[in-house]
Short mmCIF file of all heavy atoms in Angstrom, two decimals:
data_model
loop_
_atom_site.label_atom_id
_atom_site.label_comp_id
_atom_site.label_asym_id
_atom_site.label_seq_id
_atom_site.Cartn_x
_atom_site.Cartn_y
_atom_site.Cartn_z
N THR A 1 -86.75 -19.46 67.20
CA THR A 1 -86.83 -19.98 65.84
C THR A 1 -85.48 -20.52 65.39
O THR A 1 -85.39 -21.58 64.75
CB THR A 1 -87.29 -18.88 64.87
OG1 THR A 1 -88.57 -18.40 65.29
CG2 THR A 1 -87.38 -19.39 63.45
N ALA A 2 -84.42 -19.80 65.73
CA ALA A 2 -83.08 -20.23 65.32
C ALA A 2 -82.69 -21.54 65.97
O ALA A 2 -82.17 -22.45 65.30
CB ALA A 2 -82.06 -19.15 65.66
N THR A 3 -82.90 -21.66 67.26
CA THR A 3 -82.43 -22.83 68.00
C THR A 3 -83.41 -23.99 67.97
O THR A 3 -83.07 -25.09 68.43
CB THR A 3 -82.15 -22.45 69.46
OG1 THR A 3 -83.37 -21.97 70.07
CG2 THR A 3 -81.09 -21.37 69.55
N GLY A 4 -84.62 -23.75 67.46
CA GLY A 4 -85.63 -24.80 67.48
C GLY A 4 -86.27 -24.97 68.84
O GLY A 4 -86.93 -25.99 69.10
N GLY A 5 -86.12 -23.96 69.70
CA GLY A 5 -86.71 -24.03 71.03
C GLY A 5 -88.06 -23.34 71.09
O GLY A 5 -88.61 -22.88 70.09
N THR A 6 -88.60 -23.28 72.32
CA THR A 6 -89.89 -22.64 72.56
C THR A 6 -89.75 -21.67 73.72
O THR A 6 -89.16 -22.00 74.75
CB THR A 6 -90.97 -23.68 72.90
OG1 THR A 6 -91.06 -24.64 71.85
CG2 THR A 6 -92.33 -23.01 73.09
N VAL A 7 -90.27 -20.46 73.54
CA VAL A 7 -90.23 -19.47 74.60
C VAL A 7 -91.28 -19.83 75.66
O VAL A 7 -92.43 -20.14 75.33
CB VAL A 7 -90.52 -18.07 74.05
CG1 VAL A 7 -90.54 -17.04 75.17
CG2 VAL A 7 -89.48 -17.69 72.99
N VAL A 8 -90.88 -19.81 76.93
CA VAL A 8 -91.82 -20.05 78.02
C VAL A 8 -91.88 -18.81 78.90
O VAL A 8 -90.97 -17.99 78.91
CB VAL A 8 -91.40 -21.28 78.86
CG1 VAL A 8 -91.39 -22.54 78.01
CG2 VAL A 8 -90.04 -21.06 79.51
N SER A 9 -92.96 -18.69 79.63
CA SER A 9 -93.13 -17.56 80.54
C SER A 9 -92.89 -17.96 81.98
O SER A 9 -92.74 -17.08 82.85
CB SER A 9 -94.55 -16.97 80.39
OG SER A 9 -94.76 -16.50 79.09
N ASN A 10 -92.87 -19.25 82.26
CA ASN A 10 -92.68 -19.73 83.63
C ASN A 10 -91.74 -20.92 83.58
O ASN A 10 -91.95 -21.86 82.80
CB ASN A 10 -94.04 -20.13 84.23
CG ASN A 10 -93.97 -20.37 85.73
OD1 ASN A 10 -92.97 -20.91 86.22
ND2 ASN A 10 -95.01 -19.99 86.43
N LEU A 11 -90.71 -20.90 84.42
CA LEU A 11 -89.75 -22.00 84.43
C LEU A 11 -90.40 -23.33 84.80
O LEU A 11 -89.92 -24.40 84.38
CB LEU A 11 -88.62 -21.70 85.43
CG LEU A 11 -87.48 -20.80 84.94
CD1 LEU A 11 -86.40 -20.69 86.00
CD2 LEU A 11 -86.90 -21.30 83.63
N ASP A 12 -91.49 -23.29 85.56
CA ASP A 12 -92.15 -24.54 85.93
C ASP A 12 -92.75 -25.24 84.71
O ASP A 12 -93.00 -26.45 84.75
CB ASP A 12 -93.26 -24.28 86.95
CG ASP A 12 -92.71 -23.86 88.31
OD1 ASP A 12 -91.54 -24.19 88.59
OD2 ASP A 12 -93.43 -23.20 89.08
N ASP A 13 -92.97 -24.47 83.64
CA ASP A 13 -93.54 -25.07 82.43
C ASP A 13 -92.47 -25.63 81.51
O ASP A 13 -92.80 -26.27 80.49
CB ASP A 13 -94.34 -24.01 81.65
CG ASP A 13 -95.51 -23.46 82.44
OD1 ASP A 13 -96.04 -24.20 83.28
OD2 ASP A 13 -95.87 -22.28 82.23
N LEU A 14 -91.21 -25.40 81.84
CA LEU A 14 -90.12 -25.80 80.95
C LEU A 14 -89.91 -27.31 80.97
O LEU A 14 -89.80 -27.92 82.03
CB LEU A 14 -88.82 -25.09 81.36
CG LEU A 14 -87.62 -25.27 80.43
CD1 LEU A 14 -87.86 -24.54 79.12
CD2 LEU A 14 -86.35 -24.76 81.10
N THR A 15 -89.87 -27.91 79.79
CA THR A 15 -89.57 -29.33 79.63
C THR A 15 -88.43 -29.47 78.63
O THR A 15 -88.09 -28.52 77.90
CB THR A 15 -90.81 -30.10 79.11
OG1 THR A 15 -91.09 -29.69 77.77
CG2 THR A 15 -92.03 -29.84 80.00
N PRO A 16 -87.82 -30.64 78.53
CA PRO A 16 -86.75 -30.84 77.54
C PRO A 16 -87.19 -30.53 76.11
O PRO A 16 -86.37 -30.13 75.27
CB PRO A 16 -86.38 -32.31 77.70
CG PRO A 16 -86.69 -32.61 79.14
CD PRO A 16 -87.92 -31.81 79.44
N ASP A 17 -88.47 -30.69 75.82
CA ASP A 17 -88.96 -30.39 74.47
C ASP A 17 -88.91 -28.91 74.15
O ASP A 17 -88.96 -28.52 72.97
CB ASP A 17 -90.40 -30.89 74.30
CG ASP A 17 -90.49 -32.41 74.33
OD1 ASP A 17 -89.46 -33.05 74.03
OD2 ASP A 17 -91.56 -32.94 74.66
N HIS A 18 -88.86 -28.05 75.17
CA HIS A 18 -88.82 -26.61 74.96
C HIS A 18 -87.42 -26.08 74.68
O HIS A 18 -87.26 -24.91 74.30
CB HIS A 18 -89.38 -25.87 76.19
CG HIS A 18 -90.84 -26.07 76.40
ND1 HIS A 18 -91.37 -26.53 77.60
CD2 HIS A 18 -91.90 -25.91 75.57
CE1 HIS A 18 -92.68 -26.61 77.49
NE2 HIS A 18 -93.03 -26.24 76.28
N LEU A 19 -86.40 -26.90 74.89
CA LEU A 19 -85.03 -26.42 74.79
C LEU A 19 -84.59 -26.27 73.34
O LEU A 19 -84.93 -27.09 72.48
CB LEU A 19 -84.07 -27.36 75.52
CG LEU A 19 -84.32 -27.56 77.01
CD1 LEU A 19 -83.25 -28.49 77.59
CD2 LEU A 19 -84.32 -26.24 77.74
N GLY A 20 -83.84 -25.21 73.08
CA GLY A 20 -83.22 -25.02 71.78
C GLY A 20 -81.79 -25.52 71.79
O GLY A 20 -81.22 -25.82 72.85
N ARG A 21 -81.21 -25.60 70.60
CA ARG A 21 -79.84 -26.12 70.48
C ARG A 21 -79.00 -25.19 69.61
O ARG A 21 -79.50 -24.59 68.66
CB ARG A 21 -79.84 -27.53 69.87
CG ARG A 21 -80.44 -28.59 70.77
CD ARG A 21 -80.50 -29.94 70.06
NE ARG A 21 -81.05 -30.97 70.92
CZ ARG A 21 -80.34 -31.75 71.72
NH1 ARG A 21 -79.01 -31.62 71.76
NH2 ARG A 21 -80.91 -32.68 72.47
N ALA A 22 -77.72 -25.13 69.95
CA ALA A 22 -76.74 -24.39 69.14
C ALA A 22 -75.41 -25.12 69.23
O ALA A 22 -75.03 -25.59 70.30
CB ALA A 22 -76.59 -22.96 69.65
N GLU A 23 -74.73 -25.22 68.09
CA GLU A 23 -73.44 -25.92 68.10
C GLU A 23 -72.41 -25.19 68.95
O GLU A 23 -71.55 -25.82 69.55
CB GLU A 23 -72.93 -26.06 66.67
CG GLU A 23 -73.74 -27.01 65.81
CD GLU A 23 -73.18 -27.14 64.41
OE1 GLU A 23 -72.12 -26.51 64.15
OE2 GLU A 23 -73.76 -27.87 63.59
N ARG A 24 -72.51 -23.87 69.00
CA ARG A 24 -71.53 -23.11 69.77
C ARG A 24 -72.17 -21.80 70.25
O ARG A 24 -72.85 -21.12 69.48
CB ARG A 24 -70.29 -22.80 68.92
CG ARG A 24 -69.19 -22.04 69.64
CD ARG A 24 -67.99 -21.83 68.73
NE ARG A 24 -66.94 -21.04 69.35
CZ ARG A 24 -65.98 -21.57 70.10
NH1 ARG A 24 -65.93 -22.87 70.30
NH2 ARG A 24 -65.03 -20.80 70.64
N VAL A 25 -71.95 -21.48 71.49
CA VAL A 25 -72.39 -20.22 72.08
C VAL A 25 -71.17 -19.55 72.70
O VAL A 25 -70.44 -20.16 73.49
CB VAL A 25 -73.48 -20.44 73.16
CG1 VAL A 25 -73.92 -19.09 73.73
CG2 VAL A 25 -74.67 -21.18 72.59
N GLU A 26 -70.95 -18.32 72.33
CA GLU A 26 -69.84 -17.57 72.88
C GLU A 26 -70.18 -16.09 72.94
O GLU A 26 -71.17 -15.64 72.37
CB GLU A 26 -68.58 -17.77 72.03
CG GLU A 26 -68.70 -17.26 70.61
CD GLU A 26 -67.42 -17.49 69.82
OE1 GLU A 26 -66.35 -17.57 70.45
OE2 GLU A 26 -67.49 -17.56 68.58
N GLU A 27 -69.35 -15.34 73.64
CA GLU A 27 -69.59 -13.91 73.81
C GLU A 27 -68.44 -13.12 73.20
O GLU A 27 -67.27 -13.51 73.32
CB GLU A 27 -69.72 -13.58 75.30
CG GLU A 27 -70.31 -12.22 75.59
CD GLU A 27 -70.66 -12.06 77.06
OE1 GLU A 27 -71.76 -12.53 77.45
OE2 GLU A 27 -69.84 -11.51 77.82
N ARG A 28 -68.80 -12.02 72.52
CA ARG A 28 -67.79 -11.15 71.92
C ARG A 28 -68.08 -9.72 72.30
O ARG A 28 -69.23 -9.34 72.52
CB ARG A 28 -67.81 -11.26 70.39
CG ARG A 28 -67.63 -12.64 69.83
CD ARG A 28 -67.62 -12.59 68.30
NE ARG A 28 -67.83 -13.91 67.73
CZ ARG A 28 -68.57 -14.15 66.66
NH1 ARG A 28 -69.16 -13.14 66.03
NH2 ARG A 28 -68.71 -15.37 66.19
N ARG A 29 -67.03 -8.92 72.31
CA ARG A 29 -67.16 -7.47 72.48
C ARG A 29 -67.03 -6.81 71.12
O ARG A 29 -66.13 -7.12 70.35
CB ARG A 29 -66.07 -6.94 73.40
CG ARG A 29 -66.24 -7.35 74.86
CD ARG A 29 -67.16 -6.37 75.56
NE ARG A 29 -67.41 -6.77 76.94
CZ ARG A 29 -67.86 -5.97 77.89
NH1 ARG A 29 -68.07 -4.70 77.59
NH2 ARG A 29 -68.08 -6.41 79.10
N ALA A 30 -67.96 -5.93 70.81
CA ALA A 30 -67.95 -5.22 69.52
C ALA A 30 -68.26 -3.76 69.78
O ALA A 30 -69.42 -3.38 69.96
CB ALA A 30 -68.97 -5.83 68.57
N GLY A 31 -67.20 -2.95 69.83
CA GLY A 31 -67.41 -1.53 70.10
C GLY A 31 -68.00 -1.32 71.48
O GLY A 31 -67.46 -1.78 72.49
#
């Protein structure tokens, strides 16, 4: 919902229309 993408159960079903978008993705450590 956040990225505007679609959850798939099989990679073979994945198309560009299923992809979500985010301006920035990063990883943080918190505790």
Side-chain angles (χ1 to χ4, degrees):
T1 301
T3 60
T6 303
V7 178
V8 299
S9 299
N10 192 322
L11 278 185
D12 291 336
D13 299 331
L14 187 69
T15 68
D17 292 336
H18 292 126
L19 300 182
R21 292 176 179 269
E23 292 181 2
R24 182 178 177 87
V25 181
E26 63 180 334
E27 195 169 278
R28 304 182 196 141
R29 290 274 177 161

